[in-house]
Amino acid sequence: AQRVTQPEKLLSVFKGAPVELKCNYSYSGSPELFWYVQYSRQRLQLLLRHISRESIKGFTADLNKGETSFHLKKPFAQEEDSAMYYCALSAQGAQKLVFGQGTRLTINP
Amino acid sequence: EPEVTQTPSHQVTQMGQEVILRCVPISNHLYFYWYRQILGQKVEFLVSFYNNEISEKSEIFDDQFSVERPDGSNFTLKIRSTKLEDSAMYFCASRLGPTNGYTFGSGTRLTVV
């Protein structure tokens, strides 16, 4: 069975400080990992997927298979980054996404 | 940018009543999904749908649930006899192909009283 763990329900940092949102997963095969963001009262939006290796809005995430992690990082947080962030996994050949519980990120001015 | 549209945004229903949640996926997408999120809990997969049939479903998706693509544009989730524990945010999603990203709708908040 696949599982995604986001250990922090809440994370608060000051504007300009580095941000790291943790995500660990449990899956024996080759996963596809995603980060989704949900701004206040808006839809879930894809932020990153590990296979594309893009940097969106200054965020990056690296898949570490040894540590089974896919942490989301940004060197300098901005106030507009305040949102709910979800890490999700798709198993090889599977249709569904398995989500973590989410981390509410608050950027303080 | 194309969007997945869900209606209504909020529905209140009495326990035991049937509800139909509606979604209009992106027009050229072929894979369709329903997820739900009970307040304070994680987003959970319900069902995936491809080529006019269910391709995968979770244990949550029991006989009380059904999905349909009645025409070329709508994708519906029906709950036959709602229970209090069905109260949740229901998200529809679609994607073009099995290796493409998912696009989510803004959700329908279902409240069962």
Side-chain angles (χ1 to χ4, degrees):
Chain A
Q2 304 99 49
R3 180 176 290 181
V4 176
T5 304
Q6 293 178 251
E8 304 134 330
K9 268 194 159 177
L10 302 170
L11 182 63
S12 185
V13 302
F14 285 102
K15 178 181 167 183
V19 174
E20 183 178 51
L21 290 88
K22 291 186 167 42
C23 172
N24 289 91
Y25 66 90
S26 167
Y27 175 55
S28 55
S30 289
E32 186 172 2
L33 275 297
F34 303 81
W35 276 100
Y36 281 86
V37 60
Q38 187 176 34
Y39 300 103
S40 180
R41 299 185 184 182
Q42 294 187 28
R43 66 192 65 216
L44 284 162
Q45 299 175 38
L46 179 64
L47 185 61
L48 285 176
R49 55 191 302 199
H50 89 272
I51 60 170
S52 61
R53 303 186 69 82
E54 292 175 304
S55 172
I56 307 292
K57 300 186 180 183
F59 285 97
T60 59
D62 289 314
L63 178 60
N64 185 325
K65 291 188 177 181
E67 294 183 358
T68 58
S69 69
F70 189 56
H71 302 326
L72 184 68
K73 298 177 185 178
K74 184 168 182 176
F76 308 104
Q78 297 170 296
E79 286 185 66
E80 54 265 33
D81 296 330
S82 293
M84 195 75 178
Y85 290 80
Y86 295 95
C87 183
L89 174 153
S90 180
Q92 226 170 354
Q95 286 290 312
K96 67 183 182 185
L97 286 172
V98 176
F99 283 86
Q101 66 181 52
T103 298
R104 181 168 297 284
L105 175 65
T106 302
I107 307 301
N108 299 307
Chain B
E1 189 176 328
E3 289 186 344
V4 173
T5 306
Q6 288 187 245
T7 54
S9 57
H10 190 188
Q11 179 149 2
V12 182
T13 189
Q14 287 205 320
M15 192 169 56
Q17 294 294 305
E18 174 184 287
V19 293
I20 296 176
L21 309 183
R22 300 180 193 280
C23 171
V24 179
I26 293 173
S27 61
N28 62 339
H29 284 191
L30 301 176
Y31 293 78
F32 313 111
Y33 307 84
W34 283 101
Y35 289 80
R36 79 169 186 192
Q37 185 177 30
I38 295 171
L39 189 63
Q41 298 185 25
K42 60 176 68 177
V43 178
E44 300 173 291
F45 168 77
L46 291 178
V47 66
S48 60
F49 192 86
Y50 168 70
N51 201 25
N52 279 320
E53 60 183 24
I54 290 173
S55 46
E56 189 175 354
K57 61 183 180 180
S58 71
E59 56 198 28
I60 302 169
F61 194 88
D62 60 22
D63 291 346
Q64 292 299 309
F65 291 86
S66 62
V67 288
E68 202 176 33
R69 188 154 162 82
D71 50 41
S73 60
N74 290 284
F75 179 52
T76 61
L77 174 70
K78 183 194 291 186
I79 308 174
R80 222 177 310 279
S81 176
T82 49
K83 303 189 275 281
L84 294 176
E85 54 265 37
D86 293 327
S87 294
M89 192 74 151
Y90 288 81
F91 293 104
C92 175
S94 70
R95 60 176 174 169
L96 177 61
T99 59
N100 295 100
Y102 301 76
T103 302
F104 282 84
S106 52
T108 293
R109 180 168 298 285
L110 175 66
T111 303
V112 182
V113 297

